Amino acid sequence: MAGIGFELRQHLRKETYAGMLRAYIVAGIVGSGPWVISISSMLLIGVLAQTLRRGPELVTPFLATVTYLMATSLTLSGFLQLVFVRFIADRLFEKKEDAVAPNLMGALVVMTITSAVIGTAVTGLTFEGNVPFRVFLTIAFVTLCDVWLLSVLLAGMKAYRNVVAVFILGYGLTVVMALSLARFGLAGYIAGFVVGHAVMLFAMLVLVLRRYPSDRFIAFDFLDRKKIFPQLALTGGLLNAAAWLDKVVFWMNPVTSEPLIGPIRYSVVYDVPIFVAYLSVIPGMAVFFVRIETDFAEKYERFYEAVRHGETLDELHRLRGELVDAARAGIHDIFRIQGLTVAVLLLVGARVLAVFGIPAFYTYLFNIDVVGVGFQVVLLAALTVLFYLDCRKPALFIAALFATLNLVLSIVTQQLGSRFYGFGFLVATAVTSLVALAVLSRKLERLDYETFMT
Amino acid sequence: MSRFGGPTLAPGKTADITLLLEGTYPFVSGGVSSWVHQIICGLPDLDFALVFIGGAADAYEKMRYELPKNVVHLEEHFLAEVPKAQRLLGIPGDAAFYAKSVELHDELASRGPAIGRMLEGVVGSLLDDPARHERDFLFSEAAWEEVCHRYESSSPSRSFLEYFWTVRSMHAPLFKMARIAAALPPSKAFHVISTGFAGFLGMLANKKRGAPLILTEHGIYAKERRIELLQASWIRDDGDDDDGASDLAGIGFFRQMWIGFFEALARMCYAAADPIVALYEGNRLRQISDGADPPRTRVVPNGIDFAHFDSLRERRPSEVPPVLGLIGRVVPIKDIKTFVRALRVVVSEMPHVEGWVVGPDDEDKSYAEECRHLVKSLGLEKNVKFLGFRKTDEIFPKIGLNVLTSISEAQPLVILEGFAAGVPCVSSDVGCVRELIEGVDEKDRALGVGGAIVEIASPEATARAAMDLLRDPVRWHAAQAAGVARTKQLYTQELMLARYRKIYEAAIGGG
C-alpha cells in the first residue's frame, strides 16, 4: 500500500513537562537574599564599635566601603548567579550529580579571575596611597563575589540551615576580627571582614563538595551556550543592580553625598535609614519561605506529577486551583506579616533608630524606606514564584522595569528636594511589585494552557 | 527543490498532471510504484510533476526508478521535518475559524453528508495563511479551549496528556500539507494515489487551484491503516477499558481516535475527488461505504504489457512442469507457511513435485527462518526451495502452477503476469482474485476458469486444487487458455493506459 510509516508520531511527542521541574531549584535564589543579613551584621559592627570604643571614627568609612563592596560584588556575581544555578539544577534533574563539583570549581575560577581583574583595576587606578587597604579591598571584593555564587547554590540546593549556620559563623567571625583588628585602621577593619568571609567561602565549598563528590576537578560546561539560558545572566545582573540604583543615585550627587576614599562616596542622609529599614524584611521573608517550601512546593510537584501521569483535565484544574491558592496564601502572608511589621516600625521608628545610635531626624526617610522595603519583599516573593514556573521572560521584564523605575524615579525625587528622598525607591518597588503580582496572577490562571501549549 | 536530484518545473510552465505520492514512487519499490512508473512511461505525451510525501528523510536512500523524460518536476516533503515554531503564548486565535472547524469535525465524526460544503469554509481560510493557522493551532487560546472542550465532551475520564498529544500529533502533518499545498507546482490536474496525508493534500490542492482531483486507490488506505493501528504498540491505551461503554469491539479510545482520523482524511479526499478509481469492484463498494459518492466511483483494473509475455509462453516445455511457484516476499501476509504445509500434502501423493518460493526473504528475517524450519521439520528439504529474488521471466516458463496463499491482496499483478505467461493460478480467496480467475460478468466468465480458488490458510484445499490441475492435463490447458484469453482481453496495459488517458483528458480539458 502507499503510505508512510508511523514512526513520525514519535518525533512529535515531546516530554516537555519534565522540564518544568528543573526550574524550581532556581527559586531559592531570589528570596535567599543573604546580603540582607550581611548588611545587618555590618550595622552591628557599627554599634559595637561605638560602644566598645574601637575606632569609632572609622565606623562610617567602614560601613560605606562595605556597602560598596556589597553593591558591586552582588551586581557582578548576579550575571553568573542565575545562569549557573539553573545550569546546576538542570544537571541535577538529569541525575548528573558529578557535574556539580567540577563546574562549581570552573565557575569560581571564572568569578575569581573576573572579579580580581576588575577589582585590581579599580583599586589600582582610582585609589591613592594606603596599599594594604587597597589590597584587602580587592581581596574582599573577590571573596564576596565567590561567596554570593556559593550561597546562592547552597540555597538552590535547599540547604538553608547550612547557609544560615555558615553565615552566623562567618559574620560572627567578621565582627570579632574587624573589631580586634580595628587598631590597624580601616585596613584592619577590612582585613577582619576578609577573614570572616574567607571562612564562610571555604565552609560553603566544603558543604557543596561533600554533597556532590566528583572524579573531575574542574569543568566549564556552564559556559556552553546550548546548556544554559544566557537571558538569565541579564536578569540576574539587572535584578541585583536594580536594588542598588537608588543608592547609587544618592552617592553620585554631590548635594546628597560626601567623598570618602578614592571613588567611594557615601550619603549620610540616605544610606543609614535604608539599611536599617532592610532589617524589616526578615519577618515577611521568613513567613513566605516557609510557605513556599512546604505548601507551594508540594502543590507544584503534585500538579506536574499529575500532568505527566496523564490525569484527567478535571483533576488538573483542581490541582492548579490548589497551587494558585498556595501561592496566594503565601503572598497574603507577606502582606499580613510585612504590613504588621511596617505598621509597628512606623510607630516606633525613632526608637529603633536610637538603638543604632541614629539621630531622630532620620525617622521621616526611615518610614518611607520601611514601606519601600516592604514592597521589595513582595516583589522578591512574586519573582520567586515566577522562577518556579520557569517564566524567564517575564522575570527579565520585571527586573528591567525595577531597574529603570528605581533609577529614573530616584533621580526625579532627588531633584524635587529632600522631602521627596526615598520616594523614588518607594514608588519603584511599589509599582514593580504590583506589576509582578499581576503577571504572576495571569500566569497562574493560565498555567494548564501554558503548560500544554508548548 | 529536489534533494535527490530530480528536475524542477521551469517558471511559467504548467504540468499536465501532478501526482501526489505518499510513501511510494519513486523512492520505494513495490506494486504501487511499478504501476505509477507504468502510467508515466505509458503516457509520454503528458508532463508529470511528482510530489512525494515521506516520513523521515533518512528512510529513503535513493530513487528506485529512473525518472522518465516526461517527469518535469519532483519535490519531496518529509513529515518528520517540522520547522520548530517559535513558542508564542497568549495569542487569542481565530475564534470564527475554530467555530467552522468544530462544525466540520462534528460532521466528520457523524459521517454526515455536508463535508464538502463545510470543507470550503475551513480550507479556504487555512490555505490563505497556513503558517498563521499552524501557530494558532499550536499556541492560541482558541485552540486550547477547543481541545479542552472536545476532551470534556468525549473522554473526560481519560489521560488528558495522551488526548492532547494525540490531537496534536494528528493535526501537525495537516498544517504541513497546507504549507505544501500553498506552493505546489502549477498543474492542470492533480492525481493522488491514496487517501491519507497525500489525499488530504490532494483535497487542499483541489480547493486551492480549482484543478480537478483524481483519486486512485490500490488498497483501501483507511482500512490498511486500521489494521496497522490495531496492532500498533505506541498507542497507550492498555487497560483503557474500565468504562467499556465507548469502546466498540474492545478497541481502546485512542486507537479509535486514530482510526477515525484516517477515516476522516479519506472522507475529505472522497469529497473532493472525481473520479474515484478502484482496482476492482469490491474496493469500489468499500469506497462507497466509506463515504465516496457512487456516481464518481469507477473501476480501472491493473494492466500488463501482454506482448512481452508472448515469448515466455513459447519457451514453455510441452509437459506441465511438476513445480508449484509462489512468487512473493517471504512475509507473514503472504502466508508462506500454508504453502509449505500444502506441499507436504502434495508430496505425500506426488513425491516428484517441487515448491519454489521466489522472492526476497530479508524483510522479515525471523519469519523467513521459521519457514525454513518448517520445511525441515516436515521433511521437505528436497522439494521446497527458497530461490530469493529472481526475474519472473526466468521463473514462469519453469513452473506448472502459480500459487498464492496470501491472507490479503488487492489485485495481484503476479496472477495477471502468470496468466499472460501461460501459467494457471491457485490462489486464496482474497481481494479480487476471484474476478481474475473466474471472471466478473457473464461475458468474462465465458472465457473459462484460469485455475482454482481456495480458502485462506487452508493447506489441504490448496494441495487438492493444485493436484487436480497437475494430474488433469485437459483441465490444466483449459485453465491456461482461460488465463491467457482473460488477460489479453481485459487486463492489458493498453486498456489501462487508454482508460487513464481518458480520465486525464477529461480532467485537463482535452489537453
Side-chain angles (χ1 to χ4, degrees):
Chain A
M1 121 201 200
I4 52 172
F6 242 132
E7 75 282 21
L8 75 113
R9 196 183 121 98
Q10 258 43 16
H11 295 273
L12 292 168
R13 173 184 283 278
K14 291 183 213 147
E15 302 285 351
T16 36
Y17 310 113
M20 305 303 288
L21 261 184
R22 305 178 187 188
Y24 97 115
I25 206 167
V26 180
I29 293 167
V30 182
S32 65
W35 56 279
V36 174
I37 307 175
S38 318
I39 287 168
S40 324
S41 326
M42 293 310 109
L43 288 169
L44 183 65
I45 292 182
V47 174
L48 289 174
Q50 302 277 2
T51 44
L52 300 175
R53 302 243 141 249
R54 286 182 189 256
E57 74 286 354
L58 291 175
V59 169
T60 305
F62 173 65
L63 288 183
T65 309
V66 167
T67 307
Y68 266 67
L69 279 172
M70 298 277 177
T72 50
S73 62
L74 278 165
T75 305
L76 179 63
S77 68
F79 284 97
L80 191 54
Q81 280 178 11
L82 290 181
V83 176
F84 182 67
V85 172
R86 174 63 191 260
F87 167 83
I88 293 294
D90 287 346
R91 297 298 80 75
L92 290 179
F93 186 82
E94 296 168 2
K95 307 255 181 262
K96 291 184 183 160
E97 307 213 326
D98 60 342
V100 174
N103 278 292
L104 173 63
M105 296 312 280
L108 286 175
V109 166
V110 168
M111 196 77 255
T112 302
I113 291 174
T114 314
S115 57
V117 168
I118 293 173
T120 311
V122 172
T123 54
L125 297 174
T126 60
F127 287 82
E128 284 170 2
N130 200 348
V131 174
F133 168 72
R134 287 155 70 183
V135 170
F136 282 121
L137 194 61
T138 311
I139 298 174
F141 178 65
V142 173
T143 313
L144 269 180
C145 284
D146 288 344
V147 163
W148 302 141
L149 194 63
L150 267 168
S151 65
V152 145
L153 184 59
L154 277 178
M157 284 158 44
K158 311 279 169 210
Y160 297 126
R161 279 188 192 187
N162 288 337
V163 176
V164 171
V166 167
F167 268 67
I168 289 171
L169 172 73
Y171 280 104
L173 204 58
T174 301
V175 172
V176 171
M177 291 305 289
L179 292 176
S180 43
L181 293 173
R183 67 189 120 113
F184 298 108
L186 195 52
Y189 262 117
I190 300 296
F193 181 88
V194 167
V195 172
H197 281 82
V199 167
M200 255 160 66
L201 173 61
F202 287 108
M204 287 195 280
L205 192 55
V206 168
L207 284 176
V208 177
L209 296 185
R210 241 206 236 155
R211 177 132 161 220
Y212 299 110
S214 175
D215 301 335
R216 287 184 298 166
F217 176 65
I218 195 162
F220 294 92
D221 303 333
F222 63 96
L223 297 176
D224 181 351
R225 265 199 70 100
K226 276 171 282 174
K227 291 185 181 165
I228 57 174
F229 298 95
Q231 200 183 45
L232 284 176
L234 198 56
T235 310
L238 269 175
L239 215 48
N240 278 295
W244 294 95
L245 282 171
D246 58 311
K247 290 105 196 153
V248 172
V249 166
F250 279 84
W251 293 333
M252 290 305 124
N253 187 338
V255 178
T256 54
S257 66
E258 290 162 42
L260 190 68
I261 321 151
I264 298 180
R265 305 176 65 89
Y266 72 106
S267 174
V268 182
V269 286
Y270 196 79
D271 291 357
V272 179
I274 201 159
F275 292 138
V276 177
Y278 268 126
L279 290 177
S280 69
V281 306
I282 292 167
M285 275 206 169
V287 164
F288 179 69
F289 269 87
V290 170
R291 272 280 185 193
I292 278 285
E293 283 307 302
T294 54
D295 208 14
F296 183 81
E298 189 187 309
K299 298 284 161 42
Y300 173 92
E301 285 263 10
R302 212 180 286 168
F303 176 76
Y304 284 103
E305 276 291 303
V307 169
R308 273 173 286 141
H309 283 123
E311 281 297 339
T312 66
L313 190 58
D314 239 18
E315 181 69 3
L316 295 182
H317 282 319
R318 195 181 66 74
L319 291 172
R320 192 210 56 198
E322 286 188 0
L323 183 65
V324 173
D325 288 346
R328 287 223 175 100
I331 304 276
H332 284 166
D333 280 358
I334 293 188
F335 273 110
R336 268 215 318 278
I337 302 295
Q338 199 63 33
L340 191 67
T341 312
V342 169
V344 169
L345 285 176
L346 289 181
L347 289 175
V348 301
R351 261 176 274 173
V352 173
L353 290 178
V355 171
F356 293 95
I358 297 163
F361 70 84
Y362 285 118
T363 313
Y364 176 72
L365 184 53
F366 175 72
N367 287 343
I368 297 165
D369 286 341
V370 163
V371 180
V373 165
F375 279 117
Q376 204 177 341
V377 175
V378 174
L379 171 60
L380 291 179
L383 275 170
T384 304
V385 179
L386 284 175
F387 276 117
Y388 251 93
L389 303 175
D390 200 21
C391 304
R392 296 189 303 274
K393 235 184 227 168
L396 176 58
F397 162 74
I398 288 164
L401 177 70
F402 185 30
T404 313
L405 286 179
N406 203 15
L407 177 67
V408 173
L409 294 177
S410 292
I411 292 172
V412 170
T413 54
Q414 205 181 36
Q415 301 303 319
L416 291 174
S418 63
R419 295 295 295 173
F420 292 93
Y421 290 176
F423 275 105
F425 172 70
L426 170 60
V427 175
T429 50
V431 171
T432 315
S433 61
L434 294 179
V435 168
L437 283 181
V439 170
L440 176 60
S441 166
R442 185 167 163 75
K443 285 279 164 195
L444 286 170
E445 282 308 324
R446 295 145 48 97
L447 189 60
D448 39 12
Y449 159 68
E450 299 207 349
T451 302
F452 279 95
M453 300 292 267
T454 50
Chain B
M1 288 281 258
S2 168
R3 66 181 87 171
F4 292 86
T8 300
L9 190 67
K13 297 269 183 191
T14 303
D16 292 317
I17 306 290
T18 294
L19 293 173
L20 306 172
L21 305 157
E22 182 181 328
T24 173
Y25 190 80
F27 297 105
V28 177
S29 46
V32 176
S33 296
S34 309
W35 178 88
V36 172
H37 193 68
Q38 202 180 2
I39 291 271
I40 298 174
C41 293
L43 301 169
D45 52 319
L46 293 175
D47 286 343
F48 287 88
L50 311 183
V51 175
F52 176 82
I53 312 287
D58 53 18
Y60 312 97
E61 291 155 17
K62 58 174 173 36
M63 281 195 241
R64 303 288 175 149
Y65 296 82
E66 194 181 327
L67 291 183
K69 285 207 174 60
N70 54 330
V71 170
V72 291
H73 180 89
L74 170 65
E75 61 184 64
E76 312 93 20
H77 302 278
F78 300 98
L79 291 192
E81 291 172 3
V82 182
K84 204 171 151 41
Q86 175 74 38
R87 190 170 179 237
L88 197 79
L89 284 179
I91 47 175
D94 186 342
F97 175 78
Y98 280 95
K100 281 188 203 157
S101 149
V102 168
E103 249 186 20
L104 174 63
H105 279 81
D106 288 340
E107 191 72 3
L108 285 169
S110 66
R111 297 154 184 260
I115 294 166
R117 182 174 57 75
M118 289 176 181
L119 273 177
E120 299 291 341
V122 175
V123 166
S125 173
L126 176 64
L127 287 169
D128 279 344
D129 192 348
R132 177 174 69 87
H133 279 291
E134 180 166 29
R135 204 188 55 212
D136 273 10
F137 173 71
L138 289 176
F139 304 123
S140 78
E141 288 165 15
W144 167 250
E145 304 217 321
E146 187 47 33
V147 174
C148 290
H149 176 72
R150 291 221 155 240
Y151 167 84
E152 293 290 1
S153 59
S154 67
S155 61
S157 61
R158 291 196 176 77
S159 163
F160 182 68
L161 182 76
E162 195 63 30
Y163 183 88
F164 182 83
W165 279 103
T166 303
V167 171
R168 272 210 164 188
S169 308
M170 278 175 185
H171 288 79
L174 304 189
F175 291 102
K176 174 128 191 160
M177 292 306 125
R179 284 164 184 264
I180 298 170
L184 280 173
S187 184
K188 293 175 190 160
F190 294 93
H191 185 183
V192 61
I193 315 303
S194 65
T195 61
F197 297 113
F200 184 77
L201 175 61
M203 182 274 291
L204 293 178
N206 168 255
K207 303 286 175 207
K208 173 102 182 161
R209 298 294 172 82
L213 174 67
I214 301 154
L215 166 65
T216 298
E217 280 195 284
H218 282 233
I220 300 294
Y221 183 102
K223 177 183 136 198
E224 291 175 28
R225 279 289 190 218
R226 182 190 172 89
I227 294 168
E228 183 186 338
L229 285 161
L230 288 176
Q231 298 163 347
S233 59
W234 51 260
I235 299 177
R236 299 184 197 170
D237 53 7
D238 315 319
D240 183 42
D241 297 312
D242 302 347
D243 59 353
S246 58
D247 298 341
L248 302 162
I251 303 169
F253 178 79
F254 293 110
R255 243 172 253 279
Q256 278 191 60
M257 260 176 96
W258 276 105
I259 290 167
F261 168 71
F262 283 110
E263 284 173 3
L265 287 186
R267 297 181 101 76
M268 288 189 272
C269 185
Y270 290 150
D274 187 13
I276 298 164
V277 184
L279 280 184
Y280 58 96
E281 183 62 15
N283 271 2
R284 189 182 76 88
L285 296 174
R286 172 87 198 202
Q287 287 172 329
I288 291 169
S289 81
D290 284 355
D293 183 21
R296 296 191 201 169
T297 59
R298 69 185 64 181
V299 171
V300 177
N302 280 329
I304 55 162
D305 181 5
F306 191 78
H308 169 84
F309 294 89
D310 290 346
S311 62
L312 299 189
R313 287 195 306 279
E314 281 156 22
R315 269 161 52 194
R316 290 195 71 77
S318 53
E319 292 287 307
V320 175
V323 178
L324 308 184
L326 188 151
I327 300 171
R329 294 163 297 136
V330 183
V331 291
I333 200 166
K334 303 284 178 191
D335 198 6
I336 306 293
K337 287 179 184 174
T338 289
F339 178 70
V340 175
R341 291 196 182 98
L343 254 296
R344 177 64 264 165
V345 179
V346 173
V347 168
S348 52
E349 291 186 29
M350 303 169 74
H352 62 293
V353 171
E354 291 189 4
W356 296 355
V357 179
V358 185
D361 60 357
D362 51 359
E363 193 175 314
D364 187 339
K365 292 201 170 88
S366 67
Y367 182 75
E369 193 49 46
E370 286 170 30
C371 291
R372 283 173 213 279
H373 191 78
L374 183 65
V375 168
K376 226 177 269 171
S377 66
L378 294 178
L380 289 169
E381 292 100 320
K382 281 188 188 146
N383 301 82
V384 175
K385 295 174 181 164
F386 292 89
L387 300 182
F389 176 79
R390 292 290 181 89
K391 283 204 165 140
T392 47
D393 286 6
E394 292 170 23
I395 300 298
F396 281 133
K398 296 177 187 162
I399 62 176
L401 282 173
N402 191 7
V403 179
L404 243 78
T405 45
S406 302
I407 53 177
S408 175
E409 290 282 353
Q411 187 178 53
L413 220 50
V414 69
I415 294 183
L416 294 175
E417 288 173 348
F419 279 169
V423 191
C425 176
V426 172
S427 171
S428 48
D429 189 6
V430 289
C432 71
V433 164
R434 192 173 288 279
E435 293 179 9
L436 298 183
I437 293 179
E438 295 180 352
V440 183
D441 50 27
E442 216 161 301
K443 199 177 139 212
D444 189 358
R445 265 184 225 114
L447 295 171
V449 179
I453 307 261
V454 294
E455 266 181 60
I456 292 174
S458 172
E460 182 74 24
T462 308
R464 284 282 147 238
M467 287 189 289
D468 287 351
L469 281 160
L470 286 179
R471 282 170 169 160
D472 185 348
V474 177
R475 233 192 104 195
W476 187 94
H477 279 101
Q480 183 190 43
V484 172
R486 178 163 295 122
T487 313
K488 191 172 182 178
Q489 283 189 28
L490 300 171
Y491 297 99
T492 61
Q493 179 171 299
E494 291 72 27
L495 215 47
M496 179 184 82
L497 291 173
R499 286 165 171 159
Y500 271 100
R501 180 181 292 282
K502 221 168 135 191
I503 289 172
Y504 283 158
E505 282 174 355
I508 64 183

